[in-house]
Amino acid sequence: MVGGVTLRGISKVFKRESSELVHALEGIDLDIAPGEFVTLIGASGCGKSTLLRIVAGLTQPDSGEVCTDGEPVNGPSPDRGFAFQDHTLFPWLNVRQNVAFGLKNQPKERLAALSGGGSMSSKDIKEQISRDVDAWIELVGLQGFEKVFPHELSGGMCQRASLARALAAHPKVMMLDEPLGALDAFTRMNIQEEILRIWQARKTTMIMVTHDVDEAVYMSDRVVVLSPRPGRIQEIIPISLSRPRARSGEDFSRLRAKILDILQFGGLRQAPDYYL
Amino acid sequence: MSILRPLKRVFPIAALLAALAVQLFFPNSELQPTTRAPYFTYFLLFLLALYAALIIVSFFSAALAKKLEYGGWFYTGAILFLTGLNIFTSKLAVPPVMYFPSLDRVFGALFDDRRLLLKCLAHSGRLLFFGYFGGSIVGLFTGVGIGFSKRLSYWLSPVIRLIGPIPSTVWIPLMLIVFPTAVSASAFIIALAVWFPVTLMTSSGIANVPQSYFDAGSTLGAGRFVRVVKIGVPASMPHIFLGLFNGACSSFITLITAELIGAKYGLGWYVNWEREMLSYSNVYAGLIVVALVFFLLVTGLFKVRDKFLGWQKGVIKW
């Protein structure tokens, strides 16, 4: 099994333009097992996205170390895929070319190793890529849209294509930075199912950032609650519900209530003594 | 409107017939020197035949029919304008005939001087080709270099800001000394005129590429070279095309100016020389060729843009 992630003492400070210091993250220690689905949740500004970017190697921490499978992270790598909040599909490429981008542009040795052996000719690799891309497009339900450019697709379809693009590059760990945040509720639930299906088939480690407590409980093995400024791990809640899960039920509601409680949204809140 | 639509296709024919009637039944002013043949009449007949053929084809091609309907008013207007000009100059000779020759004389010059004009066209075409492509390619590379390398940007940006805005024709005296031939000097000056807008727009295009594209690329395994060539350059293509377009315009200006000095042939040289000869019908003939050539080049550039930038429909407009 590959795709284990270890975070040790991760801290990150940002300097505002007023040279005021913002402690985005402070002393984050976390171990993520290979194949685990972990969700980071917390109020906005608690550094969830920054943490995800640090794991991906897109942002350098001020102190601490990230390792994947024992290897320290020094920069971005195709081993650590990333699905962004905006779909970031390349507008000059059609769906098929977008999905194929990672496979076509990563180091050839990695591809050959992934397809089981270094003896593949470049023609074999090409055919393998083509088959992979078709499979991914089918898996996210975009058959028939291969030749379509991103600006002609709906938001949900773009996010699907973006997920296919990230997953097609064979990451060992997949980072999901609220990729479903901008979608309507129904599209959102559909894509959640797809992500779970892919995760169960591929056993890729998933680290997801979300604001949606339901989404966190429904999808994760563990939910990591972060407290804001400085961003620290407040509590880690294991979700031991059996899969496939229902989006309701007593256990589900109890876990949901517990997380909301930690986030201080639990119970009846006192009405504010001012009116808008 | 529904009755007007198919009619729009036929209006230019009516306008052409009217233009022919004016040309044939309204004698030229006696002040205008006569020509060997009624060249403008020939031109109108040629247009009539061409347009009639297009109309016949348009019955079989819906696309062409649509184009002709769309252009119908414009073609009609253009023909009527030409007829107005014909009456004003050839027929009534209102402005001095020396500077405003009859259309028969202008089209006559175009026909009689065709060999020299073709030679000039070839000469200018060669200058434009080497100057434009040389300048664009170097501009593309400098633009990409400045866009991606902090060090190159540090050294080159001030130089570009210093040299770029100088009209490149100012360099003519220096270049005539530096380069062995007038042709190479002119080509270099044209290249310089193209290089500046292409460099500027390319580097600003790259500076405007959202960081998220590069982030996405690097998490997909793209190295620095791939990020430059497969993300930075295509993402800034809309800007680069603006640069190529501006470059084309300044290359035309520079071409015509550069040919005024030290050139033996060329469209700019032709127009200037004929002006000195006080042969204004040839001046206009030269201008017609210049306008046609530049029109075709710009149209070609737009076609290339539409082919390469189909993806930006709904993303960027210009």
Side-chain angles (χ1 to χ4, degrees), chain A residues 108-153:
Chain A
K108 292 279 170 285
E109 309 81 59
R110 183 174 185 268
L111 269 187
L114 283 170
S115 346
S119 60
M120 286 182 90
S121 69
S122 63
K123 192 169 161 260
D124 289 340
I125 291 183
K126 237 181 202 157
E127 280 170 8
Q128 178 67 40
I129 288 177
S130 180
R131 274 196 301 273
D132 267 20
V133 169
D134 286 335
W136 276 108
I137 288 174
E138 205 185 320
L139 204 58
V140 296
L142 284 175
Q143 320 86 298
F145 293 92
E146 288 91 345
K147 295 266 161 71
V148 176
F149 285 92
H151 74 266
E152 299 164 284
L153 295 174

Side-chain angles (χ1 to χ4, degrees), chain B residues 108-118 270 273-274 282 285:
Chain B
L110 205 54
F111 182 76
D112 291 339
D113 241 2
R114 61 187 183 278
R115 278 173 206 284
L116 182 58
L117 276 168
L118 273 178
Y270 179 88
W273 186 64
E274 296 294 353
N282 292 78

Side-chain angles (χ1 to χ4, degrees), chain B residues 251-274:
Chain B
S251 76
F252 297 161
I253 297 167
T254 313
L255 170 76
I256 299 298
T257 328
E259 281 180 346
L260 297 181
I261 296 151
K264 292 194 187 71
Y265 291 107
L267 293 171
W269 166 84
Y270 179 88
V271 170
N272 195 45
W273 186 64
E274 296 294 353

Side-chain angles (χ1 to χ4, degrees), chain B residues 119-192:
Chain B
K119 198 168 180 180
C120 288
L121 183 61
H123 193 275
S124 294
R126 191 175 54 153
L127 269 188
L128 202 59
F129 180 83
F130 287 114
Y132 185 74
F133 283 101
S136 318
I137 289 165
V138 176
L140 216 59
F141 276 100
T142 20
V144 169
I146 289 169
F148 280 106
S149 154
K150 284 220 172 84
R151 193 177 302 166
L152 268 181
S153 167
Y154 174 83
W155 287 106
L156 284 183
S157 293
V159 179
I160 286 165
R161 252 178 283 160
L162 198 67
I163 293 178
I166 302 174
S168 52
T169 43
V170 171
W171 299 104
I172 289 174
L174 176 64
M175 294 310 159
L176 284 177
I177 300 165
V178 175
F179 282 88
T181 59
V183 172
S184 51
S186 308
F188 181 81
I189 289 162
I190 292 167
L192 198 62

Side-chain angles (χ1 to χ4, degrees), chain A residues 58-93:
Chain A
L58 290 169
T59 302
Q60 295 304 315
D62 292 327
S63 61
E65 195 184 38
V66 184
C67 290
T68 50
D69 296 327
E71 294 281 319
V73 169
N74 294 316
S77 143
D79 285 339
R80 294 181 301 278
F82 206 105
F84 296 84
Q85 216 160 348
D86 310 315
H87 57 75
T88 66
L89 290 175
F90 302 126
W92 57 91
L93 299 179

Side-chain angles (χ1 to χ4, degrees), chain B residues 222-243:
Chain B
R224 189 170 157 84
F225 179 74
V226 173
R227 290 206 297 279
V228 171
V229 173
K230 294 206 176 168
I231 298 176
V233 172
S236 35
M237 263 304 166
H239 278 84
I240 293 175
F241 260 93
L242 265 181

Side-chain angles (χ1 to χ4, degrees), chain B residues 22-219:
Chain B
V22 168
Q23 171 69 357
L24 291 175
F25 301 117
F26 194 162
N28 276 0
S29 158
E30 283 173 6
L31 292 172
Q32 291 280 8
T34 50
T35 48
R36 276 194 290 132
Y39 289 107
F40 185 58
T41 314
Y42 294 164
F43 175 69
L44 288 175
L45 285 173
F46 167 74
L47 280 187
L48 192 64
L50 181 72
Y51 201 83
L54 284 177
I55 284 187
I56 291 167
V57 176
S58 78
F59 283 109
F60 305 100
S61 154
L64 183 64
K66 215 169 175 187
K67 259 188 194 158
L68 290 185
E69 274 163 25
Y70 178 77
W73 289 123
F74 183 81
Y75 302 144
T76 309
I79 294 158
L80 291 180
F81 172 78
L82 214 54
T83 304
L85 200 66
N86 194 22
I87 295 171
F88 192 62
T89 58
S90 324
K91 307 299 176 189
L92 301 176
V94 181
V97 294
M98 175 140 178
Y99 303 116
F100 295 91
S102 68
L103 293 180
D104 277 329
R105 280 167 68 204
V106 173
F107 282 91
L110 205 54
F111 182 76
D112 291 339
D113 241 2
R114 61 187 183 278
R115 278 173 206 284
L116 182 58
L117 276 168
L118 273 178
K119 198 168 180 180
C120 288
L121 183 61
H123 193 275
S124 294
R126 191 175 54 153
L127 269 188
L128 202 59
F129 180 83
F130 287 114
Y132 185 74
F133 283 101
S136 318
I137 289 165
V138 176
L140 216 59
F141 276 100
T142 20
V144 169
I146 289 169
F148 280 106
S149 154
K150 284 220 172 84
R151 193 177 302 166
L152 268 181
S153 167
Y154 174 83
W155 287 106
L156 284 183
S157 293
V159 179
I160 286 165
R161 252 178 283 160
L162 198 67
I163 293 178
I166 302 174
S168 52
T169 43
V170 171
W171 299 104
I172 289 174
L174 176 64
M175 294 310 159
L176 284 177
I177 300 165
V178 175
F179 282 88
T181 59
V183 172
S184 51
S186 308
F188 181 81
I189 289 162
I190 292 167
L192 198 62
V194 179
W195 168 80
F196 175 60
V198 174
T199 302
L200 198 71
M201 291 314 289
T202 304
S203 63
S204 95
I206 285 166
N208 279 306
V209 177
Q211 180 60 34
S212 58
Y213 289 160
F214 293 122
D215 284 350
S218 56
T219 59

